[in-house]
Amino acid sequence: MAGVADLDVVAWVRVVDGRLLAVRSRGRDLLYLPGGKREPGEDDWAALSREVREELDVELDRASFRELGVIRAPAHDQPDYTHARMACFTAACRGAIAASGEVDEYLYLAPADRDLLAPAARAALDLALDHGLLH
């Protein structure tokens, strides 16, 4: 499809006890990583910290914010885009995670649960594996 842009998003890669944090947005069949699209003028930090606060009601720690990598994968459930370009970051957080805003639930998934994830989130899981965050 000529002229179709990538969906440009940021994502939080959070691993606890060998499991990857994933969220289910309202009305979606597959799971995603916390994060989303930038608003005009936002850099990666501003976009990700805002999205995580809106979705999971926690504050990311700026001092621990690190880029893990950028993946490109088919965009799931996004008719205006053919692919997602997802910049993935790690960061510590403050507060207790709670589903909020457009997020109905959150789960921690093992690598064997990859079929529950949207394509870009699967690619991010592979990125986390490549960096030794998951086993």
Side-chain angles (χ1 to χ4, degrees), residues 16-51:
V16 175
D17 297 330
R19 293 179 173 269
L20 179 69
L21 175 65
V23 298
R24 185 180 314 279
S25 295
R26 194 160 292 117
R28 298 290 174 96
D29 58 337
L30 294 176
L31 300 168
Y32 297 80
L33 295 190
K37 297 180 232 172
R38 288 175 194 77
E39 291 185 354
E42 283 185 324
D43 62 12
D44 292 335
W45 164 253
L48 189 60
S49 59
R50 176 187 50 76
E51 286 284 350

Side-chain angles (χ1 to χ4, degrees), residues 63-99:
S64 65
F65 180 69
R66 303 281 182 276
E67 183 173 320
L68 192 61
V70 177
I71 58 93
R72 187 170 184 268
H76 175 70
D77 210 13
Q78 297 289 326
D80 295 337
Y81 302 94
T82 57
H83 286 86
R85 178 199 177 275
M86 190 163 72
C88 300
F89 299 90
T90 60
C93 69
R94 291 183 301 280
I97 291 176

Side-chain angles (χ1 to χ4, degrees), residues 8-10 12 34-62 65 100-103:
D8 188 23
V9 296
V10 292
W12 185 32
K37 297 180 232 172
R38 288 175 194 77
E39 291 185 354
E42 283 185 324
D43 62 12
D44 292 335
W45 164 253
L48 189 60
S49 59
R50 176 187 50 76
E51 286 284 350
V52 169
R53 186 171 44 260
E54 290 172 1
E55 294 178 358
L56 295 171
D57 202 30
V58 293
E59 295 293 329
L60 295 183
D61 174 58
R62 179 74 170 114
F65 180 69
S100 181
E102 67 199 34
V103 169

